[in-house]
Amino acid sequence: LGLAQRFLSAGLTGFEVMNQFALSLVAKHYPQQRVPLWQDTPWCVLLENSDHESEAHAREQCERLLEAALEAGCATDAVVAESLSQAKALWHIRESIPLAQAEEGLNIKHDISVPVSRIPAFVAETDELLARAIPGVRLVDFGHLGDGNLHYNVQAPEGVNAAAFLREQEDGINTLVFDSVARHGGSISAEHGIGSLKAHELPRYKSPVALRLMHAIKDALDPQGIMNPGRVLAGSPGGDERPKSPDAAGRRRKESAISCMSLGRSLMS
């Protein structure tokens, strides 16, 4: 990512990371799509370079970046789109991951954010913790690495009933993942928000000061509690009883564009 930012600057308009298992699901459930590179590496990156000059200039920039990445050893192979249709096909692979995961069965989803520099350590640590807790667990990791946003989804082991897995493991897995996010200075919710499903988790991962400020803003804007009651702040008017003290809160649980796809040795490739 740092190399791409250095070579492309503001022209870097897309940097998506996808792990091997995520891409394998697309190849499995949508065989009509030609998924490149994924069999040879644990991680692939899809990046897009947008340029206001010309497609040729954008391509030249992208090729210089890939040459530097290959020479530095942080990438081992690459595919560059030769047309708009090929670029769309590469993006379609990325966009098909959630659909392919649904085809594979029910899963436990986490839309999280972690500081970019901490993402490799977070993934390594959390993968290990989950593998130790649930032998054979399968992890579908993908997301907008440039924003620090990661979809860290947990799939049942092969042959395990997905509905039973969800019912029996979801709470424990959520706690494990969210605790790991907190250790790495991240947030338990990113682009999809807290909503109602994670409202009961917020007091555990937000400071009492932050929660009191959030409640004060909510009360000022919505004193009757009629706007999305129970969303985000479970203790808002119309939601659950508000925590009476910091200790209680702490205990609450419940133009022209060139796209290319490259594979790397590590997540930060």
Side-chain angles (χ1 to χ4, degrees):
L1 175 59
L3 198 63
Q5 290 171 329
R6 187 160 76 247
F7 272 82
L8 305 179
S9 187
L12 181 64
T13 52
F15 197 97
E16 300 286 316
V17 66
M18 303 159 285
N19 77 345
Q20 187 176 53
F21 182 60
L23 291 172
S24 77
L25 292 181
V26 177
K28 174 182 177 180
H29 293 288
Y30 302 106
Q32 71 276 19
Q33 295 193 45
R34 301 177 63 182
V35 183
L37 308 176
W38 69 270
Q39 292 174 309
D40 303 317
T41 184
W43 294 93
C44 285
V45 164
L46 174 63
L47 66 85
E48 182 176 80
N49 176 31
S50 298
D51 186 80
H52 68 278
E53 291 190 24
S54 66
E55 183 175 337
H57 185 257
R59 183 183 304 280
E60 181 184 352
Q61 287 183 313
C62 196
E63 289 175 349
R64 284 204 305 267
L65 163 63
L66 292 174
E67 181 180 358
L70 292 167
E71 288 181 355
C74 59
T76 56
D77 202 352
V79 170
V80 179
E82 298 294 337
S83 64
L84 182 60
S85 63
Q86 289 184 6
K88 288 181 177 179
L90 290 177
W91 278 103
H92 188 46
I93 291 168
R94 158 61 181 87
E95 292 160 357
S96 297
I97 292 174
L99 302 175
Q101 187 176 5
E103 292 287 344
E104 187 72 6
L106 294 171
N107 50 82
I108 301 169
K109 294 181 171 62
H110 305 101
D111 168 50
I112 61 173
S113 64
V114 178
V116 173
S117 62
R118 300 297 303 160
I119 287 180
F122 164 79
V123 170
E125 176 186 312
T126 314
D127 283 5
E128 182 179 352
L129 290 172
L130 284 168
R132 195 184 307 157
I134 309 169
V137 71
R138 298 176 295 168
L139 301 171
V140 183
D141 299 346
F142 63 101
H144 326 299
L145 188 64
D147 300 331
N149 178 206
L150 189 66
H151 299 287
Y152 189 86
N153 300 338
V154 182
Q155 202 92 33
E158 192 89 43
V160 171
N161 181 277
F165 177 78
L166 194 71
R167 184 173 59 252
E168 297 166 6
Q169 301 284 358
E170 184 172 20
D171 288 345
I173 287 174
N174 285 345
T175 297
L176 186 154
V177 172
F178 293 157
D179 284 355
S180 184
V181 168
R183 284 194 299 274
H184 289 276
S187 172
I188 65 170
S189 187
E191 61 181 346
H192 295 164
I194 293 292
S196 59
L197 293 178
K198 296 179 183 175
H200 68 287
E201 298 279 7
L202 197 61
R204 176 175 170 82
Y205 299 102
K206 279 290 184 185
S207 73
V209 172
L211 288 170
R212 286 198 294 271
L213 286 172
M214 294 168 72
H215 278 294
I217 294 170
K218 171 71 171 174
D219 290 344
L221 297 176
D222 182 27
Q224 302 301 315
I226 59 175
M227 295 191 295
N228 283 335
R231 296 330 192 258
V232 183
L233 296 172
S236 298
D240 301 331
E241 183 182 357
R242 185 175 305 180
K244 296 298 190 295
S245 69
D247 288 342
R251 290 194 298 268
R252 289 287 300 263
R253 298 285 301 278
K254 305 251 171 191
E255 332 154 6
S256 297
I258 293 293
S259 295
C260 63
M261 191 163 172
S262 65
L263 60 85
R265 301 180 190 277
S266 66
L267 177 55
M268 291 307 289
S269 297

